[in-house]
Amino acid sequence: MTSIVWQRRRAAVGSTWREFTRNRGGLAGLVVLGVVVVLALLAPLVTDASGLDVTKAAGQRWQSPSAEFWFGTDHTGRSVLLLTWWGSRISLLIGLTATVLSVAIGTLVGVTAAHFGGWLSAGLMWVTNFFLVLPSLVLAIALSTVLPRGIGTIVLAIGVTSWASTARLVRAQTLSVEARPFIERAKVLGGGHVHVIGRHVLPAVLPLVFVNTTLTVANAIVAEATLSFLGLGDPSMVSWGSMLRAANLHGAVSQRAWWFLLPPGLGVVVIVLAFTLVGRALETVLNPRLRGDR
């Protein structure tokens, strides 16, 4: 019985992948993400992190792109290419970690509210609506201001303020799943809450959660860049947001150092677009109505 279940799951995964590859936008986004992730992982192996230290800058201040420094140098003489390369690691790390926290909270709240109902559902939805009404970025700025600066603070600030939309989405999907006959059969046969949620509800909800995760990562990366640009990030770490802040503070525009502004800005745009393309493609694949199936 178990082997049959796994065979069906493998067949479903294969079918999903074949459908996904037909979406050129999603496939292009996946390729871009793969390249960026591989480069970020290879940074410690193929580059020297000492170049990030302002006391060991190898170039002149505001040096334009050249054969020696492909992306030019910043106000301290550091390579902008090196800063952008290492900055991708922090931006991706914070974006992915904050998204996992946000989606985990939203999924837990949404499934609990839909499954148990009653006063518990009312209370959880009241809290969810509260977080939906208040701008998540404002709440993240408030948390980042009162807590010690660091990567953990940014992850916490983004994660605990951006879960509400996921909670409502998961709650709606859970209510739809629990209205189906097989859930009633499971309960009649003696299935408890853990069995119903773990064996029936979550497998049906997780595809939607996965799609929402890819879309949430893009928002988390933008939020991290915004917080770092406002000076609420980790001052000891280089990220795309902190590079944009440094360019603004040290007059990159007045120095006409466009090479210090474009790489981190384009990095944020490209990675957000890639995650959005992948998320939309997955949404189309996993939702038959969106791909025109009848």
Side-chain angles (χ1 to χ4, degrees):
M1 184 66 179
T2 304
S3 61
I4 295 177
V5 172
W6 279 108
Q7 288 177 2
R8 291 179 177 176
R9 290 179 179 177
R10 285 194 294 267
V13 170
S15 175
T16 300
W17 171 248
R18 287 191 297 271
E19 189 68 31
F20 179 85
T21 55
R22 296 176 185 173
N23 189 305
R24 294 183 178 180
L27 196 59
L30 186 62
V31 171
V32 171
L33 289 180
V35 172
V36 173
V37 170
V38 169
L39 289 176
L41 293 176
L42 290 177
L45 302 177
V46 299
T47 63
D48 186 3
S50 63
L52 302 175
D53 190 346
V54 294
T55 63
K56 299 179 181 179
Q60 300 296 322
R61 298 176 67 250
W62 301 123
Q63 186 173 338
S64 61
S66 62
E68 183 180 5
F69 299 101
W70 292 0
F71 287 6
T73 62
D74 68 352
H75 59 286
T76 64
R78 294 177 296 176
S79 169
V80 175
L81 174 59
L82 186 65
L83 293 172
T84 305
W85 198 338
W86 279 81
S88 66
R89 292 170 58 85
I90 301 301
S91 296
L92 284 174
L93 174 64
I94 294 177
L96 292 172
T97 308
T99 298
V100 170
L101 177 60
S102 172
V103 171
I105 296 174
T107 301
L108 178 63
V109 171
V111 171
T112 302
H115 180 77
F116 292 98
W119 63 268
L120 181 59
S121 176
L124 290 175
M125 285 300 98
W126 185 89
V127 175
T128 301
N129 291 333
F130 172 79
F131 276 93
L132 280 175
V133 171
L134 293 180
S136 59
L137 183 59
V138 174
L139 292 176
I141 291 174
L143 283 177
S144 299
T145 302
V146 300
L147 296 176
R149 292 185 183 179
I151 292 179
T153 297
I154 298 181
V155 170
L156 184 65
I158 297 175
V160 302
T161 58
S162 58
W163 56 268
S165 58
T166 301
R168 292 193 67 89
L169 192 66
V170 171
R171 177 179 178 271
Q173 182 70 6
T174 303
L175 288 174
S176 175
V177 172
E178 295 213 351
R180 298 174 184 173
F182 66 88
I183 297 294
E184 291 295 330
R185 289 197 296 268
K187 293 179 179 179
V188 170
L189 293 174
H193 298 301
V194 175
H195 174 81
V196 172
I197 293 175
R199 296 294 300 273
H200 301 290
V201 175
L202 281 181
V205 172
L206 283 180
L208 178 66
V209 172
F210 185 65
V211 171
N212 187 67
T213 299
T214 58
L215 297 174
T216 305
V217 173
N219 296 329
I221 291 176
V222 172
E224 183 278 328
T226 303
L227 293 176
S228 296
F229 180 79
L230 295 175
L232 300 175
D234 190 342
S236 64
M237 297 291 183
V238 177
S239 69
W240 290 334
S242 66
M243 290 179 64
L244 292 172
R245 173 177 171 79
N248 180 60
L249 289 178
H250 297 282
V253 175
S254 61
Q255 296 289 338
R256 297 182 179 179
W258 53 267
W259 57 85
F260 193 24
L261 289 167
L262 282 182
L266 288 177
V268 173
V269 172
V270 168
I271 202 69
V272 168
L273 178 61
F275 272 112
T276 302
L277 288 174
V278 172
R280 294 304 181 190
L282 285 174
E283 188 176 27
T284 302
V285 170
L286 297 175
N287 190 340
R289 290 176 297 179
L290 293 179
R291 65 172 185 259
D293 291 356
R294 295 291 184 266

